[in-house]
Amino acid sequence: MRNRRIFVLLILFVPSLAPAREAVKASGSSNIEIIDTPTAEVTDHYGYHTSFRFGKEGGIQNKTLFGVFPRLNIGFGLDAEQVIGTENSRMNKPSINIKFRPFDGKGFLPALALGFDGQGYHYNKTTDEYDQREKGLYLVAGWKPFVPELQWTVGVDIFDFDENNAVRGFTGLTYTYERLVALLVEYDNFDYYKERRINYGAKLYITPLFTVDLLGRNVPEFSGSENRETERVVRLGYTGTF
C-alpha cells in the first residue's frame, strides 16, 4: 500500500517538473554570459542560474541570478582567493548583479538588456579594486542573424562615471550545437587598447541544466600586451527552478 502511494505521488510530481524545466531550457539561462561579457539573455521567471568559476591562484568566483519577475533578474557575486592550495584564503567584498530585458527582439531587431554587474577579476589589495574592472552599468543587444544556433552579442559598459573613464565596448559569438556543446569567443574592451582582451572557450552540456566550461582568457597574441598571461579557467553552471 505504501509503495502504491509513493508511485502515485511520483506520477503527480514528475510531470509538474517537466514544463518548468522546459521553460528554463528555452530561456537560454545557460547563456546569460559568454565568458566575461553579458548577453541579452535572462533566466526565466521562477528560475535561477548559478555558476562557479575556478581560476588563477586557486581563486573561486560565484555568480547567482534569480528570475524574481518576468524579464528581471537580480543576484549577487562572491569572490574568494586562494581557496585551493596551502595559502590563507580570503573573501573579497560581494557584488550585486541586475539585468532587465525590455525587448525580446523581432525580425532584424535585436533583443535588448540593461544591467549592472559589480564583479571584477583579479583583486588588487594595493589599489583596493580589481585589475580587470567590473562591467558596471551596461547595455547589450543580441541577434541570431544567420542561424538559430549562432548568437551575436554587442554591448557597451561603464564602470565609473568619473571624467577619466569612458564608455567601453564588447562583442562576442556563441554557437550551440544540439545542446551538446557550445563554442564561445568574445572581444572585450575592444575600443581601449591597454585593456582589450580576446577570450575563447567551449561549453559542454553534461545535462540540459548542468554545464562545464573550459575557457582561455586574455590571448596574448591578440590582446593589448604581449606580457599578459593567458589564464585557463573552468566554470561550472547550473540552471534550476523553484
Side-chain angles (χ1 to χ4, degrees), residues 4-240:
R4 183 179 298 177
R5 290 178 181 176
I6 294 174
F7 181 74
V8 171
L9 289 174
L10 287 174
I11 290 177
L12 295 175
F13 181 68
V14 172
S16 68
L17 288 179
R21 289 182 176 178
E22 290 301 319
V24 170
K25 289 165 58 180
S27 71
S29 297
S30 61
N31 293 319
I32 59 175
E33 284 186 314
I34 301 178
I35 298 172
D36 293 346
T37 60
T39 70
E41 301 291 343
V42 292
T43 191
D44 200 51
H45 190 204
Y46 299 122
Y48 65 89
H49 178 78
T50 186
S51 65
F52 292 88
R53 180 171 174 150
F54 304 84
K56 186 177 180 181
E57 297 178 352
I60 298 177
Q61 283 189 348
N62 167 249
K63 278 188 177 182
T64 301
L65 280 173
F66 300 96
V68 293
F69 295 107
R71 302 176 180 273
L72 177 63
N73 291 175
I74 297 178
F76 60 86
L78 299 175
D79 179 35
E81 299 177 6
Q82 298 175 335
V83 176
I84 300 173
T86 59
E87 302 294 332
N88 293 330
S89 60
R90 186 184 70 170
M91 178 73 72
N92 297 318
K93 58 184 178 181
S95 62
I96 61 171
N97 301 298
I98 302 172
K99 185 188 285 190
F100 175 62
R101 176 171 162 137
F103 184 60
D104 291 332
K106 186 175 181 181
F108 290 103
L109 297 177
L112 296 175
L114 177 68
F116 179 86
D117 186 349
Q119 183 62 65
Y121 304 99
H122 304 161
Y123 185 76
N124 189 322
K125 292 184 288 186
T126 302
T127 61
D128 194 28
E129 62 185 28
Y130 286 94
D131 289 335
Q132 296 178 2
R133 295 299 301 267
E134 63 275 13
K135 278 287 167 277
L137 183 66
Y138 65 83
L139 176 66
V140 61
W143 293 267
K144 294 184 177 179
F146 307 114
V147 292
E149 295 82 9
L150 181 65
Q151 178 174 284
W152 178 32
T153 298
V154 177
V156 293
D157 70 277
I158 182 169
F159 63 83
D160 196 332
F161 288 91
D162 290 344
E163 294 181 1
N164 296 328
N165 294 309
V167 174
R168 302 186 180 187
F170 57 89
T171 186
L173 290 170
T174 302
Y175 177 77
T176 305
Y177 176 73
E178 296 290 338
R179 286 283 172 175
L180 297 174
V181 64
L183 302 179
L184 319 171
V185 62
E186 65 183 14
Y187 194 1
D188 198 8
N189 300 328
F190 59 74
D191 56 340
Y192 189 66
Y193 181 79
K194 292 182 179 180
E195 296 291 334
R196 66 180 185 173
R197 296 194 300 275
I198 297 286
N199 306 323
Y200 62 92
K203 181 186 298 291
L204 308 177
Y205 287 83
I206 308 304
T207 74
L209 304 178
F210 175 61
T211 59
V212 176
D213 299 351
L214 307 176
L215 310 173
R217 299 182 67 248
N218 195 36
V219 183
E221 289 80 5
F222 302 102
S223 299
S225 173
E226 296 292 337
N227 296 324
R228 297 184 188 177
E229 294 179 346
T230 298
E231 181 185 7
R232 295 179 296 275
V233 175
V234 175
R235 182 173 62 187
L236 309 180
Y238 182 78
T239 302

